[in-house]
Amino acid sequence: MATPVHAADDSLAKVQQKGTLVMGTSPDYAPYEFLVNQHGKNVVVGMDVEIAKKIAKDIGVKLVIKQMDFDSLLVGLQTGKVDMVLSAMTPTDERRQSVDFSKIYYKGGQDIVVNKADAKVYKNHQSFVDKKVGAQTGSLQADLVKKQMPESSLLGLTKVTDLILALKSHKVEGVVMEEAVASAYVQNDNQLALIPGKFDLGSDENGTAIGFAKGSTSLVNAANRSIDAIQKQKLLPQYLKQAGRYMQTNTTNTSMFHYWRFFAKGIGYTLLITAISVLIGVVLGVFLALMRLGKVKVLHALAVAYIEFVRGTPLMIQVMFVYFGIGIFIDIPALIAGIIAVSLNSGAYVAEIIRGGIESIPVGQTEAARSLGLSQRLTMQTVVLPQALRNIWPALGNEFISLIKESSIVSIIGVTDLIYQLKVVQTATYKGVQPIIVAMVIYFVLTFGLSKLLGHYERKMKHDEGTN
Amino acid sequence: MTKALIEIKHLVKKFGDNVVLNDISETINQGDVIVVIGASGGGKSTFLRSLNLLNQPTSGEIDFEGTDLTSLSEKQLDQVREKMGMVFQQFNLFPNMTVLENIKLAPMKVKQADDAAATAKAQALLKQVGLEEKADAYPSSLSGGQMQRVAIARALAMEPDVMLFDEPTSALDPEMVGEVLKVMQDLAKSGMTMIVVTHEMGFAREVADQVWFMDAGVIAEKGTPEEIFTAPKEARTKDFLSKVLAQ
């Protein structure tokens, strides 16, 4: 199929029309992109953000930043959640098959971070024979390990912070990282040291570029013009310097108390998502359970199919499906998408709890009600369901408690729940273990406190209705 | 002058290949007190539960006050069932409601009675069964005999035209049987049409107008208590009575 030379795609026009340029990024990669706390709010800063601001300014629109997991970024592009991706992304051939890239805007070497005590043992990438080496999953660095360090074994993790943790606990002996990121970590942590990677880097694979949806030629061209300007005016060193200053303010106070706002915000979102999801889940669950127990064959089959399907697929995939899949048709914010997915999931489990509760009510109760002339519906409403709900109260409480934990999966689409905030604090403080402990304690206090509270009300309910 | 209240025509009930009721045709007149006796597994409970279609007959007709119940929709059936009070072996009181609420539920939800009227009626019925002081108690705090008397009051609250009793004293401790039978006896005296499945031969002898002996899915023999207990004709009736009366 011949493409006209002046193929006028409307990607640039569209962005200008809506007045915003949406950038997707995974802000755990200082100095490229990371989070700082400004006046109690999380703000994404870094070199990539400065570049994105420049592009937005050049085409005359406002920059909007959407945070998501690195693994989700390309999907975000394909589904139109974001207009472009700046996340220290290397334009590999595999990626080029699904998205378009701008020209390379930054070339850095690939280095290896090791524990300071080992700095003399390892010289370069060839020193790691029979050792374990870490790299970010799906990254250029992971590819380098696979191809150029065949005698080392690779540990792939999603987050750089987790990789550093793995290094410190000797799960790996070295972590392959982009030069700028590696030096940021070494500067902020005196237990780490840097050794040159000395990899054989191909031309294109060595550098980072901006990702766009396939066919956004006009937008790519606009970005390329801005990149040209940045290089001409030598703006990159300025951007990096600025990022370095942010990193220092970040590391001046790394006590966990200093970050209490981060955790508080995370608790708030975790509880919000859980509470709303349980409420919707109970309503949905009652309907599904009644459909499943009912005599109408079509409704019964639908309920069974729904329940089995939802229970047979991971919540993580459901969250991604709602956000990215349904997101193609309607633009749902990440928080709403997360609540929808968790609610739909919870509905299936609650339905089975309620079905069990209804089936546990002796058939004599139904017969007595029906013999008094109560319709099937009235029997369910006034006799069976109230008793069933009382019986399943403990199970519903458990569902609520397990949802507090399971809802943590929404962090992958960038909902700022407790897990997400934990990672933010890890990135901000360069401390791996402490935020994990804080989050763990918070989760425990939440779930344990709730189960005590529910137990209290359970006893009270029993007491009110006499011993039974 | 007798008026047919329930006419049973060729009633058959099968569970799979198992024929539990085998072509029963009988008539129950208004004011009759019929006691159904027989060995376990003879189909007594299934027969009783077929009358208000808690068990759907496999074939045959149940004509109640001139209407064939087997031809009715679920909704029409609800309106008929309220006129056929039923008392169960296991009482089946609603444990999440007080005694008063148990009795008021159906009048208020089905007949849309207002709360004051339903309460007054419920209290009168509780007095009738001798339990007016238990109005606000939950079923779990009552004895078996008290629970069964509440269950009778609950069924009466719908002002039924017939009362069906499914082994009402079988789950009771012996010392509580009397109080329940007394309530039933009073009810019979008041002219209520009653069909009672029971093992209480004394009750059958004293209260029944007719005793039906059921065996192998048919009414094997029927007659006045006098006829059945003093001069049974069928061998299986004799056999059954000799066993239960020997105890």
Side-chain angles (χ1 to χ4, degrees), chain A residues 364-365 367 370-371 387 467, chain B residues 49 74 78 81 93-94 140:
Chain A
Q365 291 287 309
E367 289 181 347
R370 298 307 299 277
S371 76
Q387 293 184 55
T467 49
Chain B
R49 295 153 62 89
E74 192 78 356
D78 289 333
R81 282 204 183 106
L93 293 183
F94 308 131
S140 54

Side-chain angles (χ1 to χ4, degrees), chain B residues 71-209:
Chain B
S71 69
L72 296 184
S73 71
E74 192 78 356
K75 205 173 168 185
Q76 292 166 317
L77 202 52
D78 289 333
Q79 287 166 356
V80 176
R81 282 204 183 106
E82 64 178 79
K83 294 186 203 157
M84 306 175 91
M86 188 155 195
V87 175
F88 301 84
Q89 182 177 351
Q90 296 297 337
F91 330 129
N92 294 343
L93 293 183
F94 308 131
N96 54 327
M97 303 176 198
T98 63
V99 164
L100 198 66
E101 287 164 352
N102 261 279
I103 300 172
K104 278 158 53 178
L105 178 74
M108 289 179 69
K109 293 285 178 188
V110 179
K111 285 188 167 172
Q112 320 299 337
D114 67 57
D115 191 52
T119 304
K121 170 99 187 160
Q123 275 162 344
L125 285 167
L126 278 177
K127 198 172 173 196
Q128 186 182 330
V129 299
L131 287 171
E132 60 263 57
E133 79 282 8
K134 294 289 185 188
D136 296 320
Y138 278 94
S140 54
S141 68
L142 302 181
S143 72
Q146 291 171 328
M147 281 198 259
Q148 196 59 298
R149 285 187 278 156
V150 172
I152 293 170
R154 180 175 69 177
L156 290 174
M158 291 303 279
E159 298 173 333
D161 296 340
V162 58
M163 285 283 284
L164 312 175
F165 291 86
D166 188 5
E167 303 201 20
T169 57
S170 297
L172 295 178
D173 292 335
E175 72 271 20
M176 293 170 182
V177 171
E179 63 191 70
V180 173
L181 290 181
K182 170 78 171 53
V183 168
M184 291 167 64
Q185 198 164 2
D186 291 347
L187 199 58
K189 272 186 203 149
S190 76
M192 175 65 76
T193 313
M194 290 165 63
I195 304 161
V196 184
V197 171
T198 189
H199 295 289
E200 294 296 330
M201 295 306 144
F203 178 82
R205 204 189 284 258
E206 277 177 48
V207 185
D209 298 319

Side-chain angles (χ1 to χ4, degrees), chain A residues 45-120:
Chain A
V45 295
M47 181 177 77
D48 281 349
V49 176
E50 297 305 317
I51 294 169
K53 276 184 190 161
K54 170 88 170 122
I55 297 170
K57 197 179 158 201
D58 288 352
I59 60 179
V61 295
K62 231 182 103 204
L63 179 71
V64 175
I65 300 175
K66 257 192 194 168
Q67 310 172 25
M68 33 177 104
D69 251 27
F70 191 81
D71 289 341
S72 304
L73 286 170
L74 293 189
V75 189
L77 266 186
Q78 288 161 348
T79 56
K81 287 270 159 206
V82 297
D83 299 316
M84 62 174 186
V85 163
L86 275 93
S87 205
M89 191 175 275
T90 312
T92 58
D93 287 343
E94 286 98 333
R95 289 187 181 135
R96 279 188 194 283
Q97 285 172 7
S98 49
V99 295
D100 284 350
F101 278 101
S102 71
K103 56 170 69 174
I104 302 285
Y105 61 84
Y106 180 77
K107 277 193 190 189
Q110 303 296 336
D111 287 337
I112 303 174
V113 177
V114 296
N115 286 309
K116 196 163 215 168
D118 298 337
K120 296 212 172 65

